[in-house]
Amino acid sequence: MSIIAQLEEAIKTGRVGPCVWFYLLLVMGRKKQLGGPVPKRLIAKALGRILLWTVNRNGKGNVVSLKAPYVRNAIILYAKEHKCYPYDGAQTSPQVERIIKAHMRAIMAVVRGWVRIAPPCNSDSPTVCQRHLMVRADWLRQFLSEFA
Amino acid sequence: MSQAQPQIQVKYDVPLEVRLEQVQKLLEQMGIRNVEPIAATAAQVKRMCVEVEKRRAARSYIMTVEEVMSFAGVSPYVVFAFQTQQGVVCIPDNNFIVDANGVYYVHKIDCRDNSLKCAQVADKVVDLLGIRRLVSSAVFLAIHPSEQELCKLGILPPTACKKKEKEKEEKTEKEEEKRKKTAVTQEELEPLERVALKKLTEELMQVQAQRRAAEEQKPKDPKAALKELGLGWLADLGEADIATLRSIAEDKMLLDALKDAEKRSAVRKFIENGFAPVTPAPQAPNIAKWSQKDIELFAKMTEDTRSFHELVMRYLEAEFGCDVSIIYDIMQDLIKQIGGCEQLQKMRRRFAT
């Protein structure tokens, strides 16, 4: 049974640890080792969990701009706070940053999909919201808690 | 063809018919027999032939037949149309079909089966008609797209082949560099990814183990469990007794004991009576009826005893006046040697007789 299949089953039936989402984003490019490509829904779920944690933790602001640096920082911060490897012993990890950077295209594709279905963050200039990947924080919170 | 001939023939060194005969011979030599000669106007030829090079069409200096002749040679009205899979490729191509009033002599050759042979024919024809300057590499490539094969046969000019080779080499070098770069990054990423994978697997194993444990702990449906064990009659007792049934279902030892019909009926009565005892509880022996000596002996023996076994030992000591452990050991050895209690019974009977 592939790791992806096991993971999907574990998500369905039991509760998985918080670091699993981070590890999944780290190894998502390794089809061979994972026994197949990581489905987009699983990437979205992992990213959703991480961003939900970040948004809930950050109470400030009505609007969140889900640009690449924000998402990248959110992932790294999540790993640090949950003491996921290698942040269980180190404060920084250039390797993690490099891997996340390499996966940003796939990650941002998911984020852009969310932004597309989000209601306009500003009624005066809805295109600005799309352009800057801005979504309302309360909507994002509700959406991610339902979705992830 | 005859309409165009009188105007142009005067400018040629060799009569047109002679060269056309040579072309015919050449085609036969090359094994191409199904050549369809047709006479066509410039517009028809342009319509028939695919545009190989747009660049030349824009060049303004090729405007008249004379210019074409001075630029390319002496046969501006002879056209070879090679019918390929992609379309009809003409030599010379559309850019040199310039005389709108002239009639062009077109050799239509079917190249759909063997385009390489056609490329060879085109090469020879180009040499024969002396129109090398009119025909670019793109035309040969349009007839037969394999650049390598054309270079190998010397149809494409060596400069073009070298250029292409250079481009290819550069491309492969770039690709190799890129591959090396990605390989390096992959090597760098591997240890971390390996650990992440390991951790992920460990987490999954933990989740699975937890789930398995939870499944094991999860109480089974007592009624179903009882039915599985062939004790369905217990399950029919009613919803009120579910807690009792659960405790019974969980206790397999008890269920084994309940396979006995008598015990089963006793349990049934017990449950039906609202868990009140059906049979009287065991009572202490009524020692009041005993003799005084026995009562005293019993009291003495039970004074400090910690188990029933010790009580028996004390009784034996009182009865035989020996050390308890010796009697106990002798009794055990004896029973072992004679082969069990049945033999002991037999021996007793023999002694009695």
Side-chain angles (χ1 to χ4, degrees), chain A residues 50-87:
Chain A
I50 290 171
L51 283 181
L52 181 64
W53 175 86
T54 317
V55 176
N56 281 338
R57 188 173 175 272
N58 233 346
K60 280 189 275 178
N62 293 327
V63 175
V64 183
S65 178
L66 295 170
K67 282 189 174 180
Y70 176 85
V71 176
R72 193 166 57 234
N73 287 340
I75 295 167
I76 292 168
L77 190 69
Y78 177 89
K80 277 184 186 173
E81 288 286 316
H82 288 92
K83 300 246 178 279
C84 304
Y85 181 87
Y87 295 109

Side-chain angles (χ1 to χ4, degrees), chain A residues 3 6-7 9-10 13 15-17 19-20 23 26-27 30 33-34 85-86 95-96 98-99, chain B residues 185-197 199-201 203-205 207-208 210-211:
Chain A
I3 294 177
Q6 279 181 35
L7 187 63
E9 205 184 309
T13 54
R15 290 180 68 191
V16 289
C19 286
V20 164
Y23 296 142
L26 276 190
V27 297
R30 298 290 179 190
Q33 289 87 344
L34 292 170
Y85 181 87
Q95 277 191 341
V96 169
R98 210 181 305 148
I99 293 173
Chain B
T185 47
Q186 272 179 358
E187 272 170 26
E188 281 172 8
L189 300 179
E190 261 177 17
L192 178 65
E193 284 182 323
R194 211 180 301 131
V195 178
L197 256 174
K199 295 255 177 192
L200 190 65
T201 324
E203 285 255 11
L204 288 174
M205 297 267 272
V207 171
Q208 278 183 350
Q210 280 173 8
R211 213 183 64 222

Side-chain angles (χ1 to χ4, degrees), chain B residues 97-167:
Chain B
I97 311 296
V98 285
D99 185 9
N101 299 317
V103 175
Y104 286 82
Y105 187 79
V106 182
H107 299 266
K108 221 174 174 185
I109 303 165
D110 192 358
C111 298
R112 281 172 295 190
D113 296 333
N114 195 349
S115 58
L116 182 65
K117 200 170 186 180
C118 278
Q120 280 175 300
V121 170
D123 188 45
K124 291 262 167 88
V125 160
V126 163
D127 279 342
L128 191 74
L129 298 177
I131 51 169
R132 178 68 64 184
R133 287 177 70 194
L134 287 187
V135 183
S136 68
S137 308
V139 175
F140 290 111
L141 283 168
I143 296 169
H144 184 72
S146 172
E147 206 178 291
Q148 274 187 338
E149 283 175 342
L150 292 181
C151 280
K152 216 177 174 181
L153 291 169
I155 294 170
L156 289 186
T159 46
C161 290
K162 276 178 190 172
K163 205 178 166 186
K164 294 276 174 189
E165 271 176 23
K166 244 186 189 179
E167 276 174 15

